[in-house]
Each structure stands twice: as C-alpha cells, then as structure tokens.
Amino acid sequence: MAECTTLDSLLEMGFDRNRAERAVAHTGNQGIERAMDWLMEHENDPDIDEPYVPPAGNTLGSTEGQIQSPTETSESIEVIGEEGDSKQPLTEEEKKEQVKRLEELMKARQEERRERERQEEVDREKQRRKHGQELLQVKQKLQDDEMKKLAELRRREKMEDKLAKQRVKEKIARDREERARKFGGGSASTGLSSPPSEAPPQFPPENQGAPPAKKDYDDCRIQVRLLDGTTLSTVFKAQEPLAAVRVYVQMNGANGEDFNLITPYPRRVYTDLDMEKPLRELGLVPSAVLVVTKK
C-alpha cells in the first residue's frame, strides 16, 4: 500500500519510526515529498520523538484514508518510483535508487531552507543597521542643538561685554571732558604754561608701576592653530571653562573630527577634567596659544 511504502521509505532513509509515523499521519499519506517537508519543518518540535498515538479510528495501516484519486495515485507512483501495480514490492536496487533520489531531494530542500534562513539573517542585519543609523542621527541632532545653544549663549555674552565696554569708554570720555573743563578754564597762555605744573602728577603713575603688573584680567585672548595650519583667534572671559574654547573650535574649524587641545611651551595636553576648569586657573590669562592635535 502507498502508506506503508512511504513509511518504509522514510525508515530506509534513516528516519526514526516515531518521526516517520508522525510525518505520514500529519500529511495524510500524500507522498514522500510532503512527508519529508513536514519532517524538516517540524524537526525541532519538542514532541517529535515521542511515540506517535494516532487518533481513534485513524490507525496507520487501516483501510480508512487509503483510497486515493487517480491523480494522487499517479503522483505517488512517480515519486516513489514504482513500476506497474503500486502494491508490487520494490527490488533492492529500486529501493536503493529511490532512497538515493529521496536523499538528493532532501538535501535540496535543506539547502533551500538554509538559503532562506541566510536571507532572513541578512534582512535582520539590514534592519538592525538602519535602526542604529537612526539612533546615531538623533544623537547627532541633540549634540548639534546643544552646540547651537552654547554658541547662542556665547554670542549674547559677547554682546553684553561689548555694550559694557562701550559704557566704560563713554564714562572715561565724559570724565576727561569734565577734567578738561575743570583744569583748562584759563587763557590759552595759561593752558600752554600748564605742562610744567602737570609734570608732578606724572610721578604717581611711575610710582604705581607695580600695581598694573598685578592687574586681574577679565578677558583672555586665545589663538588656536588648526590641523591644516590655519589659525583662529578670539577673546573669552577669564572665568569661562576651557570647554568654551573647544566648542568654538568645533563650530569654526574641527570639521567633525575628534581632537585634543595642547599648549606647546611648556607642552601640556588638556584632559576632559581640564575642560571644566576656568581659563584663569589653567594659566591661559591674559593670552595663550593652543594647538589642535588628532586624538
């Protein structure tokens, strides 16, 4: 019978009886190919090796379900390789040839499954990379927004400093005008003869030469030499951290590359901890030259 022939063929190919019986039962005895496909798809089932217990009234070898249509019978005969009557037993040579053909078919199916799994793995890897790129873009956008905020804060501080300096200059100009009106109220001759009387006030600045050396600078001029040899120069507040200089370089000439900041003489490489320290504490006030190097 066709069912027994399919079961025997699976057993001759080396399949366990429990697996072979399950494959024949679950495929409705529709041929060796369907049975092999079912085995390959369910080879990892937890109960695949347990003894097969057919449902009541559907026992392997029973007459139920053994009647096939002419088309199904011809397909079974073609797959199994029988000649003549389907009930005619196969010779040893025919059995070997059939087993060989079925093994080749099984290898082809296994190769198809492996190729499908490889393609699925490639698709998963593409999806993973796409997700990683999206995360990187989001992170880069957050960094750009933070740098823009810091740059905007720097611009506002520079504008405030500029206005403050302008107010100081205006006050100095008013004070000079006031002193000119106060001490220059005489005739032109007295104005010409006033330099001798003004000579004594020039001594205090000479005597006060030491205090300017102790001047506490509020500003710091930083010149930065970039990797391509060009230079950047700007003024920072003495209390600003070194990180402000780093952000300025990133915005104006780093081209997205990671870099270190160093001072050539004496040579010092500034670390991440130094980035939080004020320029005054790092000894960069009132002016300094920094060099950009690759990390």
Side-chain angles (χ1 to χ4, degrees):
M1 292 184 294
E3 184 173 2
C4 294
T5 301
T6 301
L7 180 60
D8 292 340
S9 298
L10 293 174
L11 294 175
E12 289 179 5
M13 292 178 64
F15 287 104
D16 184 74
R17 174 171 288 276
N18 292 332
R19 297 192 177 201
E21 290 178 352
R22 285 180 183 275
V24 172
H26 284 285
T27 57
N29 191 26
Q30 296 182 5
I32 188 68
E33 290 189 27
R34 289 182 178 271
M36 288 172 58
D37 290 341
W38 188 91
L39 283 171
M40 286 188 290
E41 292 175 0
H42 297 81
E43 63 180 354
N44 294 323
D45 290 358
D47 60 345
I48 189 67
D49 291 320
E50 295 180 4
Y52 175 68
V53 180
N58 186 20
T59 307
L60 289 176
S62 63
T63 56
E64 270 187 278
Q66 294 180 1
I67 302 176
Q68 298 178 330
S69 65
T71 305
E72 292 174 340
T73 303
S74 62
E75 290 177 354
S76 299
I77 293 172
E78 181 180 358
V79 172
I80 300 173
E82 296 178 348
E83 295 180 358
D85 191 352
S86 61
K87 296 181 180 181
Q88 181 179 354
L90 300 176
T91 64
E92 290 297 326
E93 184 178 352
E94 290 174 336
K95 287 181 179 181
K96 290 180 180 179
E97 183 179 353
Q98 176 180 316
V99 170
K100 181 179 179 182
R101 186 168 64 252
L102 294 177
E103 288 177 348
E104 293 176 352
L105 177 61
M106 186 173 183
K107 288 181 181 179
R109 295 293 174 84
Q110 290 175 343
E111 182 61 29
E112 290 177 0
R113 186 181 64 177
R114 284 194 293 268
E115 180 62 28
R116 186 171 62 253
E117 291 175 350
R118 282 196 296 268
Q119 185 60 40
E120 291 174 355
E121 181 65 24
V122 170
D123 294 340
R124 286 194 295 270
E125 179 64 18
K126 289 180 179 179
Q127 190 66 23
R128 185 189 66 80
R129 292 184 180 181
K130 181 180 179 182
H131 183 63
Q133 290 176 352
E134 291 175 352
L135 289 177
L136 185 61
Q137 291 175 356
V138 171
K139 184 178 179 181
Q140 185 64 39
K141 186 177 184 301
L142 292 176
Q143 290 179 349
D144 292 343
D145 293 342
E146 187 66 23
M147 292 176 64
K148 288 179 180 178
K149 290 179 181 178
L150 185 57
E152 181 62 25
L153 179 62
R154 287 276 298 115
R155 281 194 290 270
R156 287 199 299 267
E157 290 178 350
K158 290 178 69 175
M159 181 61 67
E160 292 173 358
D161 292 342
K162 183 177 180 180
L163 293 176
K165 290 178 181 179
Q166 183 64 29
R167 288 193 294 269
V168 171
K169 290 179 179 179
E170 292 175 354
K171 186 176 184 304
I172 292 174
R174 287 195 300 270
D175 291 343
R176 287 178 178 174
E177 292 175 0
E178 183 68 22
R179 285 196 300 271
R181 287 195 299 270
K182 183 180 295 185
F183 297 104
S187 63
S189 60
T190 58
L192 294 174
S193 60
S194 61
S197 62
E198 291 179 356
Q202 294 178 357
F203 289 100
E206 295 178 359
N207 295 332
Q208 296 176 359
K214 298 179 182 179
K215 181 178 180 180
D216 192 7
Y217 293 94
D218 293 330
D219 295 330
C220 174
R221 176 169 293 278
I222 298 294
Q223 182 176 354
V224 182
R225 189 168 68 219
L226 303 178
L227 294 172
D228 58 1
T230 59
T231 59
L232 299 174
S233 181
T234 188
V235 177
F236 297 88
K237 302 298 290 182
Q239 293 301 325
E240 285 191 82
L242 185 59
V245 179
R246 183 179 181 85
V247 171
Y248 176 76
V249 174
Q250 288 176 335
M251 296 290 293
N252 294 276
N255 297 326
E257 297 181 1
D258 200 4
F259 60 89
N260 287 326
L261 289 175
I262 69 170
T263 51
Y265 305 106
R267 179 177 175 82
R268 177 178 178 181
V269 179
Y270 293 99
T271 64
D272 293 338
L273 295 178
D274 294 329
M275 294 298 156
E276 302 301 326
K277 297 179 180 179
L279 299 177
R280 186 192 306 279
E281 182 179 339
L282 294 173
L284 301 178
V285 177
S287 64
V289 176
L290 298 178
V291 178
V292 175
T293 61
K294 290 184 178 179
K295 269 195 174 183

